[in-house]
Amino acid sequence: MGDRSAGGAGSGAAAGTPEAWAEAVVAGLAGAKAAERALGDALRPAMSLKEEKAQRRAEAVRAAAMGLGAAGCASAAGVSERLLASWRAEDPVFDAALSTARSLAHVHDVVPDVATNPAVLKVALDAILRGVPFIEAGALVGVKRDTFYRLRRGNPQLGALFGAAQNLRRRGASPGRKRKAGLKGYRLVRLDASESPGTDPDA
């Protein structure tokens, strides 16, 4: 997402109603995620668990560089906070990378503000598209409940984006998936040849 696509006011007005613009933006986010999954599926026979974990860890580090905390980093990586904490505990280099990325954000005054930082807004929208409730999506990016509602009501474009993400999720979710909407993360169930069959898939 570019700097002007989510937060800039000009593009939405020029394209029509805020709702139509938001639907197009959110559809693009969902399409990008679908393409990413398709690429992963295409490479799955050759891609090891180690490589998949490396990709997810890179997403976590990128989120940390945007100033996000543990919850936001885990959400960006598509894993639970518990699994992220486990990775940090078992991998000192990854732990140092996350800490350094957060320090980089701090030194350069990068604020994880969903209203001004497109990367942070994308994390929140991606979470909603995965079925995370609106308020929980705000908590992932460090926004308190009342503040998140005020942002939605006070900024027409943000309100339209959040609404479009919720609508797209509702249209695409089956009743069974809706019941599991609050679940986050994924389970590592595929084993590399070098890993023991007794390895905890959540470790």
Side-chain angles (χ1 to χ4, degrees):
M1 180 186 299
D3 289 346
R4 296 182 60 83
S5 60
S11 56
T17 67
E19 291 75 17
W21 165 79
E23 287 181 5
V25 172
V26 170
L29 289 176
K33 284 293 181 183
E36 183 180 327
R37 286 193 297 271
L39 291 174
D41 289 342
L43 298 176
R44 189 85 46 206
M47 185 170 63
S48 70
L49 179 60
K50 180 180 178 180
E51 290 162 337
E52 182 175 352
K53 287 169 69 174
Q55 291 177 7
R56 292 181 182 273
R57 289 176 178 180
E59 289 300 321
V61 171
R62 181 176 186 273
M66 290 296 102
L68 288 173
C73 291
S75 181
V79 302
S80 67
E81 285 188 71
R82 175 175 175 266
L83 183 53
L84 183 70
S86 175
W87 285 351
R88 296 190 73 169
E90 72 186 19
D91 188 341
V93 175
F94 173 61
D95 182 56
L98 275 181
S99 297
T100 300
R102 288 293 304 278
S103 297
L104 182 69
H106 177 73
V107 168
H108 291 283
D109 298 320
V110 177
V111 180
D113 186 350
V114 71
T116 61
N117 189 321
V120 176
L121 176 57
K122 182 178 181 296
V123 171
L125 291 172
D126 283 343
I128 293 171
L129 286 171
R130 290 200 312 273
V132 175
F134 176 72
I135 289 303
E136 290 185 27
L140 288 176
V141 293
V143 183
K144 294 181 179 179
R145 178 190 182 96
D146 291 345
T147 302
F148 210 38
Y149 273 120
R150 282 199 300 271
L151 283 173
R152 181 170 189 164
R153 292 193 300 266
N155 185 319
Q157 285 197 302
L158 281 180
L161 285 167
F162 291 139
Q166 289 177 308
N167 290 338
L168 183 57
R169 173 62 188 184
R170 280 193 289 265
R171 289 197 299 269
S174 65
R177 290 180 66 185
K178 287 180 182 178
R179 285 194 297 269
K180 298 179 181 179
L183 297 178
K184 299 184 292 243
Y186 78 123
R187 289 181 63 83
L188 299 174
V189 297
R190 190 175 69 260
L191 297 177
D192 290 336
S194 60
E195 295 196 45
S196 166
T199 302
D200 181 355
D202 279 328

